[in-house]
């Protein structure tokens, strides 16, 4: 129903990107137990026309699922978020089944608690809420699946959500302070950064399991450096330079090097552009490069944004446009331009 969506979204309705965004929204709703009515209420409270339209779609989606389930004799496939909610509902609706499952499970172990979403925590509370043993492992500073709805806040709320049996003391917490897989250099660098993070820090004081005398076991491992840069472009340029040095001066094959980024959405375009400009061959999985980050599309979108909103034309944006097919500049041309602008500024009395 195209008429049910805001006018601004209608051109995107038939695109794969829109379908992906809508699917992610429905999955987040399913994980948090938010149905169509609740989503509609949230849309009204926050004046979100897109959420209101999504609530209508969600309602139709559930009706279609119900019809398919009836036609399939009660057997139907679920998305993973819906599957977890369905399992929780089945256990709560059948006390005998729940009691049998609790008797069958002697102890529940949860790995990577910080990567669980609310639906999974609800299922855990149902399964392990009958007085059985429950052990959870987590790093409160690490959650790699927040883009899928994970809520790392459960780590700090664990004691309240899963109190000790019988109303006694809080669940026992054991802080593991020895690392068995990271070398001392890496731990030292990580610890230097971790001590500057907010929140409790005791769990961040990790020491290597190997003694100093065992450092020879990691002899030859490269040192760890912690560097800061004034811009994304400067950071990407440094990475490209290091890779060229490793290949040209130390003989490291291109296939033996990789660049790992925290967010492909935020960092991939900058890194890829810098590598190609420096003559470093780079390959990226197609799924990791959305359409708006494709080399042929990103510069055009950036130029349009800067034209509509001149405040967006900062140093990073200017460098990106200069090195794009629109600007056609290479690093040497950029350097000459910077020198020329600097000369003009000095002639005008600008010494900053």
């Amino acid at each position: 129903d195209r008429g049910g969506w805001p006018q601004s979204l209608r051109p995107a309705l038939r695109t794969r990107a829109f379908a992906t965004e809508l699917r992610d929204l429905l999955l987040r709703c399913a994980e948090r137990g938010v149905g169509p009515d609740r989503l509609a209420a949230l849309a009204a409270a926050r004046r979100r026309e897109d959420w209101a339209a999504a609530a209508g779609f969600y309602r139709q989606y559930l009706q279609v699922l119900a019809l398919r389930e009836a036609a399939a004799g009660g057997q139907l496939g679920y998305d993973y978020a819906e599957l977890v909610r369905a399992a929780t509902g089945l256990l709560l609706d059948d006390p005998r089944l729940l009691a049998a499952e609790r008797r069958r499970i002697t102890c529940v172990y949860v790995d990577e608690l910080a990567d669980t979403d609310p639906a999974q925590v609800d299922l855990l509370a149902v399964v392990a809420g009958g007085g059985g043993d429950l052990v959870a492992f987590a790093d409160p500073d690490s959650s790699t699946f927040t883009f899928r709805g994970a809520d790392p806040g459960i780590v700090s709320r664990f004691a309240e959500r899963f109190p000790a049996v019988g109303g006694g003391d809080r669940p026992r917490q054991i802080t593991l302070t020895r690392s068995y897989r990271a070398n001392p250099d890496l731990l030292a660098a990580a610890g230097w950064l971790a001590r500057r993070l907010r929140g409790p820090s005791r769990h961040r004081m990790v020491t290597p399991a190997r003694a100093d005398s065992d450092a020879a076991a990691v002899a030859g491992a490269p040192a760890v450096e912690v560097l800061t840069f004034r811009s994304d472009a400067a950071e990407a340029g440094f990475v490209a330079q290091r890779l060229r040095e490793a290949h040209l001066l130390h003989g490291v094959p291109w296939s033996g090097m990789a660049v790992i980024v925290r967010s492909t959405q935020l960092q991939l375009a900058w890194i890829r552009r810098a590598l190609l400009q420096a003559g470093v061959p780079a390959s990226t999985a197609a799924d990791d490069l959305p359409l708006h980050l494709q080399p042929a599309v990103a510069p055009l979108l950036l130029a349009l944004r800067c034209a509509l909103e001149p405040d967006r034309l900062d140093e990073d944006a200017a460098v990106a446009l200069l090195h794009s097919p629109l600007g056609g500049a290479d690093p040497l041309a950029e350097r000459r331009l910077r020198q020329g602008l600097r000369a003009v500024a000095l002639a005008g009395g600008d010494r900053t």
Side-chain angles (χ1 to χ4, degrees):
D1 181 11
R2 295 173 62 87
W5 293 92
Q7 186 66 38
S8 60
L9 284 178
R10 292 180 189 177
L13 294 183
R14 294 184 179 275
T15 66
R16 181 179 299 178
F18 178 82
T20 300
E21 293 286 340
L22 181 58
R23 177 176 178 272
D24 287 345
L25 174 63
L26 299 189
L27 287 175
R28 301 295 84 76
C29 288
E31 290 163 356
R32 283 152 175 77
V34 175
D37 294 339
R38 176 59 177 158
L39 182 57
L42 291 172
R46 290 165 174 76
R47 299 181 180 179
R48 292 288 300 264
E49 293 182 350
D50 52 345
W51 287 5
F57 177 87
Y58 197 2
R59 194 173 289 109
Q60 296 177 27
Y61 172 72
L62 294 179
Q63 292 170 354
V64 171
L65 282 183
L67 290 174
R68 287 177 55 196
E69 185 174 11
Q75 297 181 355
L76 183 65
Y78 291 91
D79 287 326
Y80 63 86
E82 297 167 337
L83 184 64
V84 175
R85 285 290 176 194
T88 304
L90 286 173
L91 291 172
L92 292 176
D93 291 341
D94 190 339
R96 295 179 59 184
L97 174 62
L98 176 58
E101 286 301 304
R102 286 178 171 175
R103 287 194 302 269
R104 185 179 65 86
I105 300 174
T106 305
C107 185
V108 177
Y109 294 90
V110 181
D111 190 22
E112 302 292 358
L113 179 67
D115 280 329
T116 57
D117 59 52
Q120 294 168 337
V121 173
D122 289 344
L123 177 60
L124 178 63
V126 171
V127 172
D133 292 327
L134 171 61
V135 180
F137 302 87
D139 179 355
D141 294 329
S142 174
S143 181
T144 57
F145 288 99
T146 51
F147 72 98
R148 287 186 178 175
D151 179 12
I154 184 57
V155 179
S156 60
R157 300 192 303 269
F158 184 80
E160 288 72 27
R161 188 67 190 272
F162 299 94
V165 177
D169 297 334
R170 292 167 62 88
R172 184 183 179 190
Q173 178 176 320
I174 302 174
T175 301
L176 305 178
T177 59
R178 304 193 73 185
S179 173
Y180 291 86
R181 61 180 181 179
N183 66 48
D185 287 340
L186 179 59
L187 287 179
W192 182 84
L193 290 173
R195 284 190 290 272
R196 288 157 175 78
L197 297 176
R198 297 178 180 178
S201 60
R202 181 168 174 261
H203 63 277
R204 302 173 186 146
M205 303 301 104
V206 182
T207 58
R210 294 183 293 269
D212 291 341
S213 59
D214 296 331
V218 292
V224 176
E225 295 180 89
V226 179
L227 305 170
T228 57
F229 301 89
R230 64 178 182 176
S231 67
D232 292 331
E235 179 185 48
F238 176 84
V239 172
Q241 175 189 349
R242 279 300 180 88
L243 293 177
R244 281 181 58 85
E245 289 178 355
H247 179 70
L248 298 176
L249 301 181
H250 305 291
V252 180
W254 294 123
S255 60
M257 294 182 283
V259 180
I260 302 173
V261 298
R262 180 64 182 88
S263 170
T264 56
Q265 182 78 10
L266 299 177
Q267 298 170 285
L268 183 58
W270 289 103
I271 296 293
R272 181 179 175 82
R273 185 183 303 116
L275 295 179
L276 296 178
Q277 289 170 353
V280 177
S283 61
T284 306
D287 292 342
D288 289 339
L289 202 61
L291 177 62
H292 70 280
L293 295 180
Q294 295 285 346
V297 178
L300 178 60
L301 294 179
L302 179 58
L304 291 175
R305 291 192 187 100
C306 292
L308 295 173
E309 303 176 35
D311 291 342
R312 285 179 175 264
L313 189 57
D314 55 13
E315 180 181 349
D316 287 343
V319 171
L321 289 174
L322 280 172
H323 290 295
S324 72
L326 298 177
D330 56 20
L332 180 58
E334 179 195 343
R335 190 175 302 111
R336 289 174 177 171
L337 178 59
R338 287 181 182 273
Q339 292 171 349
L341 293 174
R342 180 60 177 161
V344 172
L346 290 174
D350 184 359
R351 300 288 177 178
T352 59

